[in-house]
């Protein structure tokens, strides 16, 4: 199949996966065949070395087709992008991951959120423990909202060592390792096929060298919410893709709905044209912010600070949610009918503001910078 045919098939499968909540294995295989899982692998590893803007455009495309598939893809793309920018995996291990990634879908994601800790974006350190063993580490703990859990080839588990002077690091755990189990099923309003389950690690053995970013236990190990623009903007683009899919259905409805008393499509009415205009302004403005910001990051523009990326995501999320809401409100009951694509897009777009750092944390960072504190 050609790439357009492959991606069209992902859209066809989306409603079924949303209904069942099953892991979207077939769609991810199609995404791999279309070359959408590996572009951010660095050139030094034989990849394209795609930047933030290309990542954003890939996720925007996938967001229109199936945002659950897009979110799983986003985590893998971000992992490769970080490695390309600053190599930190054991070289031999990462070379093996890359080789396999070109042959088949290899999915990678961080496991950071915990039941008691919540999101690391709000501060705090993990309760998950890495116990020193004769051959390496034994990882034990519970992680929440691990997107793609059922199909991950690698869990990047954030944990604290049990050493006399504890350290914090990310431990590379192969999917399917003994002691890894999904213990809480994802059952949310939106992105139902993202498989963002709870995962329990019980004395999972990891070789000594398979740990990255390990360092002293303390505030320096906490998440930097100003960092990560390379993920903030692509995530914003993903949900703008959802909003574009909702807009497409809205347009189709407007052109095909011909009330008997009207005698022509509702697209010709003033209220539909006005709402269509507002939706377009919201989405095109947000896309300009996101894609231009991504291009500036790729160009190494020092005048584009991390706070601007955070701000672009805040506005993009607001605009995407509002755009879909406008479409649903105007259509009324048809817009919320089960099995209607717009109803699904409305549910999926509600997940946009949930990703860390959430809006209040982002605004705090932006306001602190604005006040020069």
């Amino acid at each position: 199949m050609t790439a357009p045919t492959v991606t069209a098939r992902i859209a066809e499968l989306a409603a079924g996966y949303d209904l069942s909540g099953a892991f979207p294995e077939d769609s991810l295989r199609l995404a791999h065949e279309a070359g959408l899982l590996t572009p951010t692998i660095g050139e030094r590893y034989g990849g394209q070395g795609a930047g933030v803007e290309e990542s954003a455009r890939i996720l925007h495309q996938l967001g229109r087709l199936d945002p659950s598939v897009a979110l799983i893809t986003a985590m893998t793309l971000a992992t490769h992008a970080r490695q390309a920018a600053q190599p930190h995996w054991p070289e031999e291990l990462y070379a093996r991951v890359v080789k396999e990634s070109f042959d088949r879908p290899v999915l990678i994601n961080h496991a950071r959120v915990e039941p008691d800790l919540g999101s690391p974006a709000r501060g705090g350190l993990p309760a998950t423990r890495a116990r020193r063993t004769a051959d390496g580490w034994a990882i034990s703990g519970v992680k929440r909202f691990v997107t793609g859990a059922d199909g991950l080839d690698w869990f990047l588990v954030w944990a604290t060592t049990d050493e006399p002077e504890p350290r914090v690091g990310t431990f590379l755990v192969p999917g399917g390792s003994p002691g890894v189990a999904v213990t809480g099923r994802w059952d949310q309003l939106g992105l139902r096929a993202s498989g963002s389950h709870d995962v329990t690690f019980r004395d999972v053995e990891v070789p000594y060298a398979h740990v990255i970013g390990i360092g002293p236990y303390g505030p320096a190990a906490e998440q930097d919410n100003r960092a990560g623009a390379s993920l903030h903007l692509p995530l914003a683009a993903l949900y703008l893709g959802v909003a574009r899919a909702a807009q497409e259905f809205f347009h189709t409805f407007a052109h095909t709905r011909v009330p008997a008393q009207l005698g022509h499509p509702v697209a010709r009415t003033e209220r539909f044209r006005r709402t269509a205009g507002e939706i377009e302004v919201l989405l095109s403005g947000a896309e300009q912010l996101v894609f231009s910001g991504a291009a500036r990051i790729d160009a190494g523009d020092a005048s584009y600070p991390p706070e601007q990326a955070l701000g672009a995501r805040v506005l993009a999320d607001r605009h995407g949610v509002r755009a879909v809401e406008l479409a649903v409100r105007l259509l009324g009951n048809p817009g919320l009918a089960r099995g209607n694509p717009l109803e699904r897009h409305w549910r999926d777009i509600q997940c946009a503001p949930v990703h860390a750092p959430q809006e209040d944390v982002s605004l705090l960072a932006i306001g602190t910078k604005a006040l020069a504190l």
Side-chain angles (χ1 to χ4, degrees):
M1 288 189 286
T2 63
T5 305
V6 166
T7 53
R9 181 59 180 153
I10 292 173
E12 292 171 2
L13 293 170
Y17 280 124
D18 172 76
L19 187 63
S20 69
F23 179 74
E25 182 176 1
D26 287 344
S27 294
L28 285 160
R29 176 180 50 79
L30 291 167
H32 169 74
E33 290 175 8
L36 302 180
L37 294 177
T38 56
T40 55
I41 292 175
E43 293 179 356
R44 64 179 291 183
Y45 304 108
Q48 299 175 34
V52 181
E53 183 180 5
E54 186 168 346
S55 295
R57 294 194 183 279
I58 288 170
L59 296 178
H60 187 266
Q61 177 190 14
L62 280 174
R64 294 179 77 145
L65 306 173
D66 186 337
S68 291
V69 173
L71 188 61
I72 296 169
T73 299
M75 302 309 161
T76 296
L77 290 178
T79 300
H80 288 307
R82 281 190 290 267
Q83 177 69 13
Q86 187 175 1
H88 52 286
W89 282 56
E91 283 293 326
E92 184 177 341
L93 174 61
Y94 187 70
R96 191 174 83 230
V97 169
V98 168
K99 184 177 184 300
E100 292 177 1
S101 296
F102 289 136
D103 293 336
R104 64 175 181 85
V106 173
L107 305 176
I108 310 169
N109 194 10
H110 285 263
R112 293 177 63 84
V113 180
E114 296 183 348
D116 294 329
L117 174 68
S119 170
R122 297 186 181 276
L125 293 163
T128 300
R129 289 289 179 264
R131 178 174 54 83
R132 197 74 176 86
T133 68
D135 300 318
W137 306 96
I139 313 298
S140 296
V142 178
K143 297 295 185 178
R144 303 205 69 194
F145 311 131
V146 184
T147 295
D150 282 331
L152 291 181
D153 293 271
W154 290 94
F155 294 87
L156 278 57
V157 183
W158 195 45
T160 305
T161 69
D162 70 343
E163 299 165 310
E165 295 185 8
R167 294 179 293 164
V168 177
T170 298
F171 296 78
L172 306 174
V173 177
S177 296
V180 178
V182 171
T183 50
R185 306 301 296 187
W186 172 255
D187 188 17
Q188 303 289 99
L189 180 74
L191 267 68
R192 291 182 47 76
S194 69
S196 302
H197 306 308
D198 295 355
V199 179
T200 297
F201 300 85
R202 296 187 178 92
D203 285 327
V204 180
E205 296 182 5
V206 176
Y208 179 71
H210 289 192
V211 57
I212 56 179
I214 195 164
Y217 187 104
E222 296 185 4
Q223 181 168 312
D224 179 5
N225 293 315
R226 295 173 62 258
S230 59
L231 183 58
H232 300 328
L233 295 180
L235 275 180
L238 186 163
Y239 288 101
L240 290 173
V242 176
R244 284 295 188 186
Q247 180 194 43
E248 183 178 349
F249 179 84
F250 175 76
H251 286 180
T252 299
F253 181 94
H255 284 294
T256 56
R257 172 66 173 150
V258 183
Q261 73 276 21
L262 196 60
H264 58 73
V266 293
R268 297 185 189 179
T269 65
E270 186 174 305
R271 68 188 185 117
F272 266 81
R273 285 183 287 137
R274 182 181 294 112
T275 300
E278 185 170 357
I279 290 172
E280 179 58 30
V281 167
L282 287 169
L283 298 185
S284 60
E287 287 167 352
Q288 184 176 1
L289 277 176
V290 168
F291 293 128
S292 65
R296 290 175 68 181
I297 292 171
D298 287 338
D301 186 346
S303 67
Y304 189 80
E307 289 78 13
Q308 278 191 250
L310 286 173
R313 202 192 119 198
V314 167
L315 287 175
D317 288 350
R318 287 179 179 179
H319 285 198
V321 170
R322 177 61 176 159
V324 180
E325 180 184 60
L326 285 169
V328 169
R329 285 192 176 191
L330 189 55
L331 267 58
N333 276 329
L336 288 175
R338 290 291 299 271
N340 181 336
L342 184 56
E343 181 266 351
R344 171 162 48 90
H345 301 325
W346 182 85
R347 286 188 287 105
D348 287 337
I349 202 75
Q350 306 309 313
C351 297
V354 171
H355 293 285
Q358 294 174 343
E359 183 172 303
D360 64 315
V361 176
S362 296
L363 292 175
L364 178 61
I366 295 166
T368 300
K369 174 71 172 182
L371 291 168
L373 294 175

